[in-house]
Amino acid sequence: EALLRWHHPEWGQISPVDFIPLAEETGLIIPIGEWVLNEACRQNKEWQNLGYPHLRMAVNISSRQFKQSNLIEIVSKALQDSGLEPQYLELELTESIIQDSKYAIETMHKLKTMGIFLSIDDFGTGYSSLSYLKLFPIDSLKIDQSFTRNMFENTKDAALIHTIIT
């Protein structure tokens, strides 16, 4: 998974927990997200060219990015510019993205047609119905760590995880 970190020259390491919400709020998440997507595709292809195993690189897509009218073109250009084949790119979407289901389904189908792997990240943190999942062309669910962290100590967490997996 491509993870963004910020090392400020004066303040040192700044956690994504601190700067991503601000980037979302100000709209800076759009250029940041595009840069991350391009860099992840470029780096993955570079590793492939160096002879490393061909692995799928996951990139988080924010709700704001997902709603861009040119998202398909941005993803397509990142793949084309890097030379990365689509099956080596995974886009991680949040549950909030699927709230706007008509638009989300159409966009997700276009991404799937391109050959991109789709997952729902931090699943269980939103208010989505499990029945919604039947409508979306997703490949995997990443269960939120708030459930998995204590699954061996908390029987409710364990039961929820078991239900989601089933």
Side-chain angles (χ1 to χ4, degrees):
E1 179 175 355
L3 299 173
L4 183 62
R5 298 294 180 257
W6 181 11
H7 182 80
H8 189 279
E10 293 176 26
W11 304 332
Q13 285 296 113
I14 300 174
S15 169
V17 172
D18 295 327
F19 70 83
I20 293 294
L22 184 60
E24 282 275 358
E25 185 180 316
T26 62
L28 285 173
I29 196 68
I30 301 296
I32 291 170
E34 189 170 341
W35 180 83
V36 169
L37 177 66
N38 285 312
E39 281 299 299
C41 290
R42 184 201 58 75
Q43 183 65 68
N44 196 356
K45 183 62 177 178
E46 183 179 318
W47 285 331
Q48 290 178 1
N49 291 341
L50 290 171
Y52 291 102
H54 292 184
L55 301 173
R56 187 172 53 242
M57 175 82 74
V59 176
N60 290 297
I61 299 293
S62 77
S63 179
R64 198 169 201 166
Q65 287 175 274
F66 190 80
K67 291 177 182 174
Q68 292 179 100
S69 61
N70 64 339
L71 177 67
I72 302 301
E73 290 79 15
I74 289 169
V75 173
S76 183
K77 185 173 178 350
L79 291 169
Q80 183 178 352
D81 289 351
S82 66
L84 186 69
E85 296 174 50
Q87 68 265 27
Y88 299 115
L89 176 62
E90 174 178 347
L91 298 181
E92 293 189 359
L93 313 173
T94 62
E95 277 185 82
S96 63
I97 287 173
I98 63 179
Q99 303 298 330
D100 186 9
S101 60
K102 285 184 184 180
Y103 178 76
I105 291 171
E106 180 182 336
T107 302
M108 292 169 88
H109 278 292
K110 288 177 182 176
L111 292 166
K112 287 300 300 170
T113 300
M114 292 170 64
I116 294 168
F117 193 91
L118 298 177
S119 62
I120 302 293
D121 194 22
D122 298 330
F123 184 76
T125 59
Y127 297 100
S128 300
S129 165
L130 288 173
S131 65
Y132 267 112
L133 295 178
K134 297 189 302 185
L135 304 173
F136 298 104
I138 57 169
D139 297 294
S140 69
L141 292 176
K142 295 185 174 186
I143 302 170
D144 187 69
Q145 66 177 327
S146 63
F147 296 107
T148 59
R149 184 181 308 118
N150 298 316
M151 68 182 187
F152 296 111
E153 294 85 31
N154 186 316
T155 57
K156 285 184 179 183
D157 285 349
L160 285 169
I161 291 167
H162 177 73
T163 300
I164 292 168
I165 291 170
T166 300

